[in-house]
């Protein structure tokens, strides 16, 4: 189960022109190219932070957030 507002270890399932889609058990979560390591490949696992962008799309990033969600 993914945790929005926190770090998650996700597997790369698809490469696109604008980034990678990570396996969330559904349609995938975008990791944009500007946040992806240059050597990232399909099948790799990567630790990412998940958040909603300004258009309410779920996005992954490798950048460190200013805050994370804690508690239940």
């Amino acid at each position: 189960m993914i945790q929005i507002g926190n770090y998650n270890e996700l597997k790369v399932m698809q490469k696109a022109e604008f980034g990678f889609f990570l396996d969330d058990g559904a349609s995938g979560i975008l990791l944009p190219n500007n946040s992806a390591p240059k050597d990232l490949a399909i099948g790799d696992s990567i630790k990412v932070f998940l958040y909603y962008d300004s258009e309410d799309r779920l996005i992954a990033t490798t950048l460190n957030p200013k805050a994370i969600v804690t508690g239940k």
Side-chain angles (χ1 to χ4, degrees), residues 15-20 30-38 40 46 51 59-63:
K15 169 79 171 114
E17 180 180 331
F18 43 84
F20 294 86
L30 177 63
L31 173 64
N33 283 328
N34 64 356
S35 261
K38 294 189 188 296
L40 191 63
I46 186 167
Y51 69 97
I59 302 290
T61 184
T62 56
L63 301 176

Side-chain angles (χ1 to χ4, degrees):
M1 182 171 154
I2 63 168
Q3 295 181 337
I4 300 163
N6 215 325
Y7 289 98
N8 295 262
E9 185 85 19
L10 299 174
K11 191 172 188 177
V12 178
M13 61 183 222
Q14 182 181 350
K15 169 79 171 114
E17 180 180 331
F18 43 84
F20 294 86
F21 284 96
L22 307 178
D23 189 4
D24 66 344
S27 59
I29 299 170
L30 177 63
L31 173 64
N33 283 328
N34 64 356
S35 261
K38 294 189 188 296
D39 61 347
L40 191 63
I42 294 172
D44 289 352
S45 288
I46 186 167
K47 183 178 178 181
V48 293
F49 181 81
L50 300 180
Y51 69 97
Y52 286 105
D53 70 5
S54 61
E55 297 180 20
D56 287 335
R57 296 176 296 202
L58 191 54
I59 302 290
T61 184
T62 56
L63 301 176
N64 292 321
K66 292 184 179 188
I68 62 171
V69 175
T70 60
K72 291 188 176 195

